[in-house]
Amino acid sequence: MRGEPHRERVGSRVPTRRRRRIRHAWTACLVTGAVSAGLLSGVSPATAESALGRFSTTLSPPSPPGGDDVRVLVFHASATEESPVVDAGIEAIEAIGRTGPAATRFTVEATDDASVFTEPRLGGFNAVVFLTGGGDVLDADQEAGLETYIESGGGFLGLHDAARTEPYSDWFGGLIGARPAKTNPTAVQRAVVEVGDRQHPATKTLPLEWKRPDKWLNWTTNPSGVVHTVARVRESSYQPGAGANGADHPVSWCRDYDGGRSFYTAMGGTADSYQETDFRTHLRGALNWTSRLVRADCQAAINANYTAERLTKPNQPGQNDQIGEPHGLVTAKDGRVFSIGRGGADSSKPVVTDWNDPEIGKGQGEIHIWDPKTNQVSLAGSLTVFGNKGGGDELVKNEEGLLGIELDPRFEDNGWIYLHYTPHSRIDRNTRMAERRVSRFTLNRATNKLDLSSEKILLKWPVQIHSCCHAGGGMAWDSKDNLYIATGDNNSSQFSGGYSGNNPEPNYKGVSFADARRTAGNTNNLNGKILRIHPEQDGTYTLPEGNLFTGEETAEGGGKTRGEIYVMGVRNPARIDVDLKTDTLYAGWVGPDAGAPSATWGPAKYDTFAAITEAGNHGWPYCMGNKQPYRDRNLPDPTKPLGWYDCDAPKNESPNNDGLVNLPPVTGNTIWYSPQGGAPDFPRDANGVPSYKQEESKYLLSWLKGGGQATMNGPVYRFDESSTSTVKWPSYWDGKWFVGDFYDQDQPRHAVLTDPRTVGKGGLPVHAENLKKIIPVGTNGIRNLMDWKFGPDGALYVLDYGRGFFTSDARSALWRVTYRGGQATPAAADLVRKETAQ
């Protein structure tokens, strides 16, 4: 250490009330220097004079901190111990200041003399760096000087042990953002830093997964959501010790604080850190922002900048005047939100379950429109569907009905709406079969009503309705105007112990209802798939190139395929989304019911999300997760296990299969989770079969867990720079994929980043950020997430299903989550070199 280190002065602390009086007196002197230095460039002379009051200074003002004279103060005093990182840190910051683009260069002054904070020349620095810190190093006047400097628009960068500085000061604790826990690992360990902010100058060019050694601090309180976290350290990649913070362990963050800018990184705890190219890049971006050389958004991940507002009122008694049984939404370019009700009514309406009654399952699939101009809801129309048969076991309840909605890409011109539904008029009560269809309707723009006579049936196929469940329903467009249609496996959840839905025995009048190899695993069946078609003007469709099959495959003795199939092997994909920038398809589907893995039958229930870049087989009911196989079973005794399925060369040898026997290889999925944790994995034997022993399990994604679980895939956000909306989510979220669950406890509600090199190839996401305080959970929040999409205004629209099942109730609602965090800082006019404005 250069100079005599300060010692902790516990007994010399000035009482809070007296310190405030001292601070007010010192403010006058320091503000004079700050005004002349240009830090208070937005303050008028009259305001400055008023702030100075009767105090003044005769000291000569320094040169303004701009133009060719941008300056950074590096302060490195410590009241605890000398630090070997000081010289390395000073050298690195000096090198950063004199290299790189001329527009971002600066000069450096280093000191361990705290009296600098009581000198007017402090206002001549664009930013102050606390390099080491530790303990009580500032007296009352000095802390007051630093506080006034920040209030006057100054910048602050804290490095590693700076978080231990001024332990008695709440204000300094706020400036830092968090304090280290009492228990911290002391050894240097190599760990993975997840770089979630891809836009801040301190992180945008760093690796998504940044592997580096350092001393990693734990926090007494997690600051994420109060500060804007730009990077997190992955605790599974090192030993965090007893004070671990868990899946969300911030390591670098920033915020606009008390009139100035504050950036803190817990990295930099070793001298070697300052020799790393990537760490210097990290520091360069932080210094450029705190010094007012560049702008950056440090507000986007702060929870208080978001507001969740309920848009619909509770339905009137006995009516679905505001909302039906929520099942999906889509937004129009004019800002209107179209939401659909599956078919359930409120609890006062009777549910008919008697198959001898011609009214069995009859419900109304409703289309409601919320208009932002009036903030009112209207009923655009309803379809009579087979979809009000709920409650009870698999042979009583049903998930059919109005399942999906999409607007034509040229909806503003033609008024076309596509609906995915099960018409009640087409059910066969004798065979207990129904017809599923995707139809095009026209909305009468004069009356805002759906013209039921305008129906053009694009596609229809049979579904069994003897036993519940898994209807799917989501739809989405790609950039080439291809329509994707998600269909469930139309299979019972029972009869297989909650493992692979592959029991060939149960059937009703010859149609199996417990063997998903008849549907999802069948190349000649449209259930358990994501279809891709190209709708034509006349209400027909053509098949785009690149689907999984052509429809002409006739190998293996006449087996068949359907050319509409883009993805096979999915269980219940209720929600899908296509990122129009990349045409990547994002989907999620619910898993089976087994609560734990079985060495006999295979994995537990895995709810699944997949980023899909090409046609493929995603495994169900043969394999799940990262190609973890189930055990085969067949007649005459399906209770006895046969061999394990081969995920690389699966065969459909079910007696209920009328498609190809040899199936496409299984593609691993992006995210899977069980009641025990996220992305369970196990050791595998020589044949690649996992042990499925709970005690040998490893969880690859620590940020999520299930329990009661039902995936609700969300959108990929794309920021519209040309939009003038005042409520749009910021560009920080651009390219992030929103994944959620119907439930709101330990289940996911996150924005994730994928690696472009592995997306669509079974690669795990590299970063996840919790959204539960932005999209609020709990009884009075959005507890049962049913669908979520961004509107043209950049706000997020969310459906809360309500608190019952197969009904609409007082909690069923459409919500909107808006952002009002403001622009990036500093303001463009406050940049010290205007040519660097971004």
Side-chain angles (χ1 to χ4, degrees), residues 18 114 121 221 237 242 284 321 373 396 408 412 431 433-434 443 482 576 589 615 631 699-700 752 805 824 834:
R18 184 180 163 217
R121 72 188 188 94
T221 301
S237 65
R284 182 187 300 277
D321 60 302
K373 295 177 181 176
V396 177
D408 191 85
E412 286 69 27
T431 62
M433 295 292 292
L443 184 74
N482 295 316
I576 62 175
W589 52 92
R631 202 75 169 266
Y699 299 96
L700 307 179
V752 304
F805 284 101
K834 301 301 186 291

Side-chain angles (χ1 to χ4, degrees), residues 464 466 495 503-514 518 656:
Q464 68 83 19
H466 170 75
F495 310 104
N503 189 336
E505 194 168 58
N507 73 87
Y508 185 79
K509 296 195 173 181
V511 176
S512 166
F513 57 83
R518 179 184 72 85
N656 301 306

Side-chain angles (χ1 to χ4, degrees), residues 29 65 326 464 481 507 538 546 559 567 648 693 698-699 704 710 742 753 772 785 793:
C29 182
Q464 68 83 19
D481 292 347
N507 73 87
D538 61 0
V567 173
D648 292 324
K693 293 180 180 178
K698 209 166 119 180
Y699 299 96
L704 78 166
F742 179 83
L753 277 173
K772 289 184 180 179
L785 177 63
D793 58 355

